[in-house]
Amino acid sequence: MTDFTDPLVSTEWLAARLGDPSIKVLDASFKMPGVMPRPGDDYLAAHIPGAVYFDVEDVCDASNPLPHMYPDGAQFARDVAAMGVSTGDTVVIYDAGGWVAAPRAWWMFLSFGYDNVRILDGGLKKWQAEGRPTESGKPSPAPGNFTATLDPSYLRSKPQLVANLDSAAEQVIDARAADRFEGRVPEPRPGLRAGHIPGSRNVPYNELFDASTGLMKCPDELRAAFERAGVTLDQPIVTSCGSGVSAAVLTLALYRLGVRGSALYDGSWSEWGAADGPPIAVGPA
């Protein structure tokens, strides 16, 4: 296994290795409910050759009413093996280029004990802008052999975040846009209150990448974004967002800055913002 110091790989790196049977490429593109066309249809229309679709809406606990909550280890192992991934493979994950769900899938692999996983910097957007090949349709990969055990330290629950209101032992960083964080606009998911977890900070995830190229910003710019929000990088951190997806963009940026041991609030605002949920705050942090 190559010794990487950064979880990101370039389009050049991947293009030189397409066809290597030990490298498995997954398309984890995601969109909010109701946004058309659906990401699965986008995938069928065009994806990197050999890529298999990692659907965040399917690789989840279907019995939980909250959106795309973590599955258990047995299900994650089955789902990933069905994508053709085996333990020992190098997994490369990308999305459409908006940094929405590739980091979520990456964090899931890490949470389930598998660290041979990378993210394609710039995603499909950069790949296509460079004129690199794509294919359409749905592949039928040979099933892999994968094992997974969840490390609960990678996640936080509502009770843990409620307890943190008093202890303030962990900094909570919210990846949603400022107008949602401050409660100035309605939440896109019906029935949720507007605002944020009291005491949390706001680092909108789309400030961490270049929208024109799809590339994640350099470490100095990432560090500056967290510092502007009042985040102390050497203190415990939990990331949050609308439903536990874009929060992982913050998690990835922190990881690139050398932060280890952060956690993701899986239920995020879909859980906390419910009408009968815990206390909320509005306005700037």
Side-chain angles (χ1 to χ4, degrees):
M1 170 181 162
T2 303
D3 182 20
F4 289 88
T5 57
D6 191 318
L8 302 186
V9 295
S10 68
T11 51
E12 292 80 7
W13 185 94
L14 180 59
R17 291 163 175 80
L18 275 187
D20 182 335
S22 69
I23 293 179
K24 302 299 169 61
V25 183
L26 304 180
D27 182 326
S29 297
F30 170 84
K31 295 178 182 177
M32 288 290 289
V35 178
M36 304 300 288
R38 296 306 300 152
D41 295 329
D42 289 338
Y43 164 80
L44 292 175
H47 54 263
I48 293 175
V52 178
Y53 188 45
F54 183 108
D55 190 345
V56 170
E57 302 286 10
D58 286 341
V59 187
C60 68
D61 178 2
S63 68
N64 194 313
L66 293 169
H68 41 253
M69 294 289 283
Y70 261 59
D72 61 21
Q75 181 190 337
F76 187 79
R78 287 195 306 271
D79 290 347
V80 168
M83 298 174 200
V85 178
S86 292
T87 300
D89 288 336
T90 296
V91 179
V92 179
I93 306 172
Y94 72 90
D95 56 34
W99 289 100
V100 180
R104 163 77 178 200
W106 163 80
W107 192 243
M108 291 181 78
F109 273 94
L110 294 186
S111 303
F112 284 105
Y114 198 73
D115 64 1
N116 194 6
V117 56
R118 311 292 172 237
I119 297 176
L120 182 65
D121 197 11
L124 187 63
K125 181 174 186 173
K126 186 170 185 290
W127 183 271
Q128 291 181 307
E130 295 168 345
R132 300 188 188 276
T134 60
E135 63 183 14
S136 60
K138 184 178 181 179
S140 299
N145 185 359
F146 195 83
T147 57
T149 301
L150 178 63
D151 181 344
S153 71
Y154 281 74
L155 300 174
R156 290 293 181 272
S157 65
K158 184 173 75 173
Q160 288 173 308
L161 268 292
V162 169
N164 193 63
L165 291 177
D166 291 328
S167 71
E170 296 181 311
Q171 302 168 95
V172 180
I173 317 175
D174 193 318
R176 293 176 299 155
D179 54 0
R180 291 175 63 191
F181 177 85
E182 295 176 9
R184 293 186 279 112
V185 297
E187 279 294 300
R189 288 184 171 85
L192 297 181
R193 296 171 294 168
H196 59 266
I197 297 172
S200 59
R201 301 289 182 170
N202 185 212
V203 179
Y205 80 94
N206 61 357
E207 294 183 2
L208 302 182
F209 64 90
D210 185 330
S212 64
T213 64
L215 293 170
M216 181 164 267
K217 292 182 177 179
C218 70
D220 285 346
E221 292 175 292
L222 300 178
R223 184 175 290 104
F226 288 110
E227 289 176 350
R228 285 194 300 271
V231 177
T232 304
L233 295 180
D234 61 357
Q235 298 297 316
I237 294 172
V238 177
T239 61
S240 181
C241 61
S243 64
V245 176
S246 61
V249 182
L250 307 189
T251 304
L252 171 63
L254 291 165
Y255 195 95
R256 295 188 69 212
L257 293 173
V259 174
R260 300 293 183 270
S262 72
L264 183 145
Y265 175 24
D266 196 21
S268 284
W269 199 252
S270 293
E271 181 175 44
W272 194 281
D276 59 350
I280 66 171
V282 296

